[in-house]
Amino acid sequence: HWNVTGENFLDLHEFFGKQYAALFDAADDLAERISALGAAAPAGMVALRAVSKIEEAPDRPQSAKAMLKDLLVSHQRMEAELKAAIELADDEDDDVTEDMLIERLEDHQKTLWMLNSMLA
């Protein structure tokens, strides 16, 4: 969000900053759940990148619209991954994880609505 420019700079800078903070908090919650289930949560950028389904952003600054489209694609991918994970948690009778993932899905779907509205 540091590289966003243009007439909507302030709004987009704040929006992207809120996204960053919300996703950081979500990652922390998910890592704690993984640990509570007795597994080791991925630690460090290399480990996280190895298990991520999200594409890295380009090394060069993008237009604000391209940033929004990139974020949209990432949230769409997370929506699909969460739906599959919710089914798995349900199959394993893990209500706590299922509930946590449903809450995450709700957040991603709300963000998708916002991003689609911003790009309309």
Side-chain angles (χ1 to χ4, degrees):
H1 78 282
W2 305 285
N3 292 320
V4 68
T5 60
E7 62 185 70
N8 295 324
F9 166 77
L10 187 57
D11 291 335
L12 290 175
H13 183 77
E14 288 179 16
F15 178 76
F16 291 140
K18 287 178 183 176
Q19 283 290 295
Y20 172 83
L23 293 171
F24 181 85
D25 288 345
D28 187 57
D29 290 343
L30 292 168
E32 289 174 357
R33 182 66 188 149
I34 291 168
S35 295
L37 292 170
M45 293 306 291
V46 172
L48 287 171
R49 184 69 199 119
V51 298
S52 178
K53 305 278 181 161
I54 304 298
E55 298 291 325
E56 286 287 330
D59 287 338
R60 58 177 174 65
Q62 297 177 300
S63 70
K65 189 170 187 172
M67 289 179 183
L68 289 168
K69 286 181 179 179
D70 184 55
L71 191 56
L72 177 78
V73 169
S74 294
H75 279 280
Q76 289 170 330
R77 185 162 291 138
M78 285 305 306
E79 178 184 37
E81 292 294 323
L82 282 165
K83 286 179 179 180
I86 289 166
E87 285 184 34
L88 180 60
D90 182 50
D91 291 347
E92 296 294 321
D93 294 323
D94 184 348
D95 296 337
V96 174
T97 300
E98 184 178 5
D99 184 56
M100 176 184 245
L101 296 175
I102 290 170
E103 188 176 322
R104 289 294 328 129
L105 178 62
E106 181 182 7
D107 288 344
H108 286 282
Q109 288 177 336
K110 181 177 180 180
T111 303
L112 281 167
W113 162 67
M114 290 181 191
L115 289 165
N116 279 308
S117 296
M118 294 167 90
L119 288 165

